[in-house]
């Protein structure tokens, strides 16, 4: 099977060396909960995604790895009003 | 003053040029880059095994080949740390970094620092710019360079500047030409500025090449046209376009926006060339003049530092002349593409992180300080720390946003676990 990570539990294939953002967009995923991929260079923080067992990361900077479990940031992380 | 390495933050053209110049003069260098490879946005390389190559103009490819050759010649004196995010400078003057591969923060006290973190794209806000499916043109270009795959479905490219043409031509080359390119400016009405651009080097030729590529794919290049609104409709975006007094609507999957670039200075230490630990800025992060100028500026900063250490002449006339020429090109471009800014509708989001609108910005006192804009207006308090809304607010208020001083760290979210594993270069 091709390399893949999980987005909301669904497998998303990626090619080695691709970022998480590139793989998500390649799979046609543009809605990241309240976030979205926007600047592509780690500046806007719009593509922060939650990673099971680790800290949230910018999807546009982070190389995809096999088996990662990713999901949108929880509401309380995305919005601290 | 320590004998430690000179720190260079950012592995794009400016940082690579600064690091090579310092190492060639015999100084040890620590070169830190947030991505997994050097190159910056301009020279973002395809992921390993990806055969696609998005074509860059030949001079850019030559320039990067020359820089990487210089870095490999001096490799013994340059320690390169990739996937390492600059978090800022703490109260004790330590430079802090998040080593994402090791999941650990490290702190160092360099002998000097050259900060070359590039630019951020600016956009003119319109209702809906915050929606999923709207990306910056430069961000989409970086992803395209990485994968060779264009985004799927209809794409509209809009805003202002030569990057729109480059991205659109590269999308066409990669197999998904945009439905149109909308340029807010009307360059044909500024023949003087265009003539000046024609005299000042290859930029006009490069632009004509992109226009020819777009014509071959039947992509319309509409000048004097801008996006006024985008709203979701099913899995598409309904985008309203205004050309003069006429309005029309297109349905697209992706809207790529770009209105120029501005130095990324949010939270970056202020330049202090005469301090005990000198700090210099270089490249688009100092002055947004583009990739060619960034190479010159990296060298200029390195020479300034070497002069401070008594190891070089103080003046770099060739670099200064090149930077002046790049400045003249940018000025002519700005004249050619100038378009008056109308205030956006009141409901337009300005700060995406905190969900603050233009109406809420306009309600602040005329003379509100940066602190008041943040604390009363809640602008720039979110995760991006104002890297995007700062330039927008400055443009809408017609005056620069004064920086929060001193800059606060961390510039990016960092995990407590990574902070708890802090390592330093100091002996305890």
């Amino acid at each position: 099977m091709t390399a893949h990570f999980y987005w909301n539990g669904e497998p998303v294939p990626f090619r080695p060396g691709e970022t998480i953002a590139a793989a998500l967009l390649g799979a046609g995923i543009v809605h990241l909960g309240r976030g979205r991929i926007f600047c592509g260079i780690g500046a806007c923080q719009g593509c922060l995604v939650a990673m099971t067992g680790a800290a949230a990361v910018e999807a546009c900077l982070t190389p995809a790895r096999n088996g990662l479990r990713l999901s949108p940031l929880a509401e309380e992380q995305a919005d601290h009003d | 003053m320590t004998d430690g390495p000179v720190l260079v933050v950012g592995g794009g053209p400016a940082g690579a040029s600064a690091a090579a110049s310092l190492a060639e003069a015999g100084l040890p260098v620590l070169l830190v880059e947030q991505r997994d490879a050097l190159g910056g946005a301009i020279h973002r390389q395809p992921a390993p095994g990806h055969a696609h190559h998005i074509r860059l103009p030949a001079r850019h490819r030559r320039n990067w080949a020359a820089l990487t050759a210089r870095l490999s010649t001096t490799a013994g004196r340059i320690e390169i740390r990739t996937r390492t995010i600059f978090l800022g400078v703490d109260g004790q003057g330590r430079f802090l970094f998040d080593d994402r591969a090791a999941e650990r923060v490290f702190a160092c006290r360099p002998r000097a620092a050259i900060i070359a973190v590039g630019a951020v794209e600016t956009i003119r806000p319109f209702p809906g710019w915050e929606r999923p499916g709207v990306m910056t043109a430069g961000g989409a270009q970086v992803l395209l360079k990485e994968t060779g795959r264009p985004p799927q479905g209809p794409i509209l490219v809009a805003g202002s500047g030569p990057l729109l043409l480059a991205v659109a031509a590269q999308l066409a080359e990669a197999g998904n030409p945009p439905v149109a390119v909308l340029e807010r400016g009307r360059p044909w009405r500024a023949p003087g500025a265009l003539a000046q651009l024609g005299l000042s080097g290859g930029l006009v030729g490069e632009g004509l090449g992109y226009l020819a590529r777009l014509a071959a794919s039947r992509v319309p290049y509409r000048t004097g046209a801008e996006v006024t609104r985008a709203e979701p409709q099913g899995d598409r975006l309904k985008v309203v376009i205004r050309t003069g007094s006429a309005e029309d609507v297109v349905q697209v999957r992706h809207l790529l926006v770009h209105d120029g670039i501005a130095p990324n200075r949010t939270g970056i230490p202020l330049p202090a060339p005469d301090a005990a630990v000198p700090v210099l800025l270089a490249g688009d992060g100092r002055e947004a003049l583009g990739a060619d100028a960034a190479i010159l500026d990296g060298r200029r900063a390195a020479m300034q530092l070497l002069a401070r250490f008594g190891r070089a002449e103080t003046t770099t006339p060739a670099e200064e002349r090149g930077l002046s020429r790049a400045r003249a090109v940018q000025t002519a471009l700005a004249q050619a593409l100038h378009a008056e800014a109308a205030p956006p509708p009141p409901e337009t989001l300005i700060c995406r992180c905190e969900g603050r609108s233009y109406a809420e910005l306009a309600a602040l006192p005329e003379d509100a300080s940066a602190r008041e804009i943040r604390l009363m207006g809640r602008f720039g308090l979110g995760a991006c720390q104002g890297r995007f809304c700062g330039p927008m607010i400055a443009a809408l208020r017609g005056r620069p946003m004064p920086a929060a001083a001193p800059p606060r760290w961390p510039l990016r979210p960092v995990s407590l676990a990574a902070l708890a594993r802090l390592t330093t270069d100091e002996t305890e």
Side-chain angles (χ1 to χ4, degrees), chain B residues 124-125 159-160 183-186 189 224-228 242 244 259 334-344 395-396 398:
Chain B
R124 286 201 192 168
S160 188
E183 165 58 57
R184 192 192 306 282
R186 292 179 173 86
R189 292 192 186 173
E226 62 185 346
V227 168
T228 56
R242 182 170 56 208
D259 279 284
Q335 283 165 359
L337 299 177
H338 175 76
E340 286 302 331
L396 290 166

Side-chain angles (χ1 to χ4, degrees), chain B residues 313-349:
Chain B
E313 300 292 326
T314 48
T315 57
T316 44
E319 282 74 15
E320 298 294 349
R321 278 196 302 275
L323 292 169
S324 298
R325 278 197 300 274
R327 211 169 279 132
V329 168
Q330 291 303 318
T331 304
L333 257 179
Q335 283 165 359
L337 299 177
H338 175 76
E340 286 302 331
E347 73 274 20
T348 310
L349 213 61

